Amino acid sequence: MTSLSGKRIIVTGGSSGIGRACAERFGSEGARVAVNYYSPGEAGDAAAVVEAITKAGGSGMAVQGDVSSESDVIALVGSVVKAWGGVDVLLNNAGIEKQIPTLEMSLEDWHRVIETNLTGTFLCTREAGKVMQEQKAGVIINMSSVHEFIPWPGFAHYTSSKGGMKLFMGTVARELAPSGIRVVNVAPGAIVTPINTFVLDDPEAKHAVESEIPLGRMGRPEEIAATVAFLASDEASYITGTTVVVDGGMSLYPKFV
Ligand code: NAI
């Protein structure tokens, strides 16, 4: 029996990539996992994640919703409270990126990324946080990025959203600590998921990324999930208000002389 057994967990953007790996890892530890997915087209993937969770010994449900929509987020958290009576862990994982030089970026491009990554994190934190405050316990984990602190040309909206998540996390950690709620960011480096298709499909680009990583390879979603499971558990009971970087050493800037 692990410390996550029976925990009531929400994973946003849980039907693919890192979110999926985290949801399945939680399931393997016997947790109850609400797998949020964005579009009806992802319903099948979300159902497959719930099936994997159930096979692994946990239980789960798939909940459609856009994290940038206030009404969807209220409904998401409400459905979990209705089903399971509370929320123990929130994983703000949903995120998008789109490469475009800043001077060519439309306001719509800017808004879409900020609203998904940063506003979505705020809305889910606010709604799940209210439930956790009543419980006087809870853990909120945000999937930020090494681009929380590494500038990235072509991704000003993305870096702004992830940088914003850093001070959001610290601020909320201070606000919620008296209620027994921990708030932590996880900052992955380059991980093999669909968000990186543009790199994975181009051997030269993939090699260029790998040469920036001291461990010499991109990470696996399961390696992020292992860190997230630890942070969600009572093993991490004294960790709040900080970012845990999981990047194979990428942020050591190996090419800097
Ligand atoms: P992914 O594209 O496989 O997963 C992102 C998920 O978010 C998808 O399931 C997508 O449907 C969902 N999503 C998008 N907009 C949504 C919305 N409005 N509402 C609800 N769900 C929405 O990509 P990946 O890599 O698994 O990304 C997960 C998180 O990890 C993101 O926040 C990303 O920024 C972050 N990250 C990923 C890295 C990587 O190298 N793969 C590196 C650093 C951070």
Side-chain angles (χ1 to χ4, degrees), residues 90-211:
L90 165 67
L91 176 59
N92 282 313
N93 167 79
I96 54 171
E97 65 183 41
K98 179 186 173 192
Q99 185 168 19
I100 185 154
T102 305
L103 303 190
E104 293 163 27
M105 191 180 289
S106 68
L107 184 57
E108 194 189 348
D109 284 331
W110 171 266
H111 276 316
R112 218 176 137 240
V113 171
I114 298 289
E115 281 169 15
T116 303
N117 301 5
L118 186 56
T119 307
T121 296
F122 155 66
L123 288 172
C124 293
T125 296
R126 189 188 70 189
E127 291 310 307
K130 288 179 198 166
V131 178
M132 292 174 180
Q133 193 165 47
E134 294 258 309
Q135 297 166 178
K136 291 268 171 224
V139 184
I140 298 170
I141 300 169
N142 306 313
M143 200 56 66
S144 81
S145 166
V146 289
H147 298 297
E148 186 186 285
F149 53 89
I150 302 179
W152 195 16
F155 294 86
H157 43 10
Y158 185 77
T159 54
S160 299
S161 73
K162 298 298 184 179
M165 283 168 75
K166 180 174 171 54
L167 278 169
F168 177 76
M169 172 274 295
T171 301
V172 178
R174 285 191 59 181
E175 287 184 18
L176 300 186
S179 301
I181 300 164
R182 296 188 291 108
V183 189
V184 186
N185 280 9
V186 172
I191 310 300
V192 178
T193 74
I195 215 173
N196 283 322
T197 306
F198 69 108
V199 172
L200 298 167
D201 288 350
D202 176 348
E204 253 179 57
K206 184 163 183 270
H207 178 73
V209 169
E210 285 173 344
S211 71

Side-chain angles (χ1 to χ4, degrees), residues 210-224:
E210 285 173 344
S211 71
E212 297 281 356
I213 304 169
L215 287 184
R217 63 174 176 84
M218 292 176 72
R220 297 187 302 275
E222 294 73 22
E223 292 176 305
I224 304 301

Side-chain angles (χ1 to χ4, degrees), residues 51-96:
E51 198 182 321
I53 288 168
T54 310
K55 266 196 194 142
S59 60
M61 61 176 168
V63 188
Q64 192 194 344
D66 174 353
V67 295
S68 69
S69 154
E70 188 171 36
S71 55
D72 282 10
V73 170
I74 290 170
L76 167 65
V77 174
S79 66
V80 173
V81 171
K82 188 168 177 219
W84 298 329
V87 181
D88 300 302
V89 179
L90 165 67
L91 176 59
N92 282 313
N93 167 79
I96 54 171

